[in-house]
Amino acid sequence: MIKVNDNFQQLPAVYLFTKISRRLAQYREEKDVIPLIRMDIGDIPGPVPESVAQAMHKAIDDLASTETFRGYGPEQGYAFLRDVIAKKDYQERGIDIDTTEIFISDGAKCDLGNLGDILSKECKIAVMDPSYPAYIDDNVIDGREGKFENGKYTGITYLKCTFNKDFCPDLPQSPVDIIYICSPNNPTGSVLPKAELEKWVNYARENHSLIIFDSAYEAYIRTPGLPKSIYEIEGAKEVAIEIRSFSKTGGFTGIRCGYSVVPKELKGVFSDGEKVLINSLWSRRQTTKFNGASYVSQRGAEALYTEKGRTEIKEMIDKFLMNASLLRKMFEKAGWKVTGGIDSPYVWAGNPYGMTSVDVFETILKECGISTTPGSGFGEEGEGYIRLSGFNTLDNTQKAISRIEEWLKRV
Ligand code: MLT
């Protein structure tokens, strides 16, 4: 028999979104059900922006000709994409990040998991509760979780986030090595203001911790003054890796492309005391285990930075933000506790009836034909909440709203 990684025994049997899609497959098989509108996983309804489609067609043509063919690309990504990211996402916004600090990947989720390869198994991790479930699952697979007791892992520090504090977490009581921060937050939709991020950067500097800053939803921030990048905070380059994705900002959920920023100031230490640049370590990891995102997807991502691409993305995001704000207003009117829907594509809604998240999920599914994500799937503090996504057409969003409004009259 093959010996396998025992850590998998510590994981929930099924990943959150897999569980939901299985339940939805079952729903579709049932007789006389209301046609499903999906508001669970944050998937883009499509199509990809025209500029992206054109650039990808052109990239396929490049591959079809001997003169322009590309084989293995640089594992860190092509310079044409790394340069434009450094320039447009950072330097033009007054942030000093250069091309060698940008690593292109096949998506934020992969980078989040893969980063565990370069971090000690001894690291103590902290996650916001509620949070994107991959943060915990990745660390469980790597063996940083301790024991599973009373619904929580003893080796993980859960940073409680509550409605009354705008889902901003307090600093941990005892030191942690790695802190996952997601802003705009998945699932709560809340955005950490500058002062809150400063608090975390200062903490990380004092405690020699690493912040893994997931800013997959930064393009949804419209309120002036809210930070889009952790590097807007002084000193953050010494303590933070920033992870970004084109999934929600360019419609790339199926294409797969994202990037991580690993600043040269970030230093690590081996157990024998030898110091190392995290940037070099990550580069070493990527050159060994990754052959780069595909040429076609990187050309598509590059197109997002053209003037046409920028305009198209803005229009797409405006639509999703509009959907999210309509969902938010409906729940507010009905007296639910609501966050998100502003500067975020997600709406996080806590029911006032004392129902569990799973009960609300099942009821809205059966009575309205709408799939949501149960808040408890994101952590204990998510109990009682559901998450809805604005990634939809306006027509579907309006249909969903009228169905939920009808249901709300009956509860
Ligand atoms: C979500 O719905 O939380 C995200 O779409 C999942 C992901 O980005 O992997």
Side-chain angles (χ1 to χ4, degrees), residues 277-324:
L277 292 186
I278 301 283
N279 181 291
S280 312
L281 214 53
W282 182 240
S283 188
R284 185 69 183 83
R285 190 261 170 220
Q286 292 297 81
T287 47
T288 308
K289 290 200 177 181
F290 185 51
N291 262 339
S294 84
Y295 173 68
V296 179
S297 61
Q298 291 190 65
R299 281 294 186 201
E302 183 192 22
L304 295 170
Y305 292 89
T306 60
E307 214 177 302
K308 182 173 173 191
R310 289 256 148 154
T311 311
E312 287 175 323
I313 298 173
K314 187 176 173 306
E315 281 168 9
M316 184 179 84
I317 291 177
D318 280 350
K319 285 184 193 156
F320 298 148
L321 279 170
M322 167 59 79
N323 296 340

Side-chain angles (χ1 to χ4, degrees), residues 17 41-42 109 132 186 217 248 346 387:
F17 291 106
I41 194 164
K109 190 179 183 183
Y132 178 47
N186 178 11
Y217 302 93
K248 319 293 158 77
Y346 295 124
R387 192 197 74 177

Side-chain angles (χ1 to χ4, degrees), residues 327-340:
L327 290 164
R328 178 187 171 114
K329 281 185 196 133
M330 169 188 63
F331 282 114
E332 269 175 348
K333 209 168 113 196
W336 292 43
K337 285 188 198 164
V338 196
T339 50

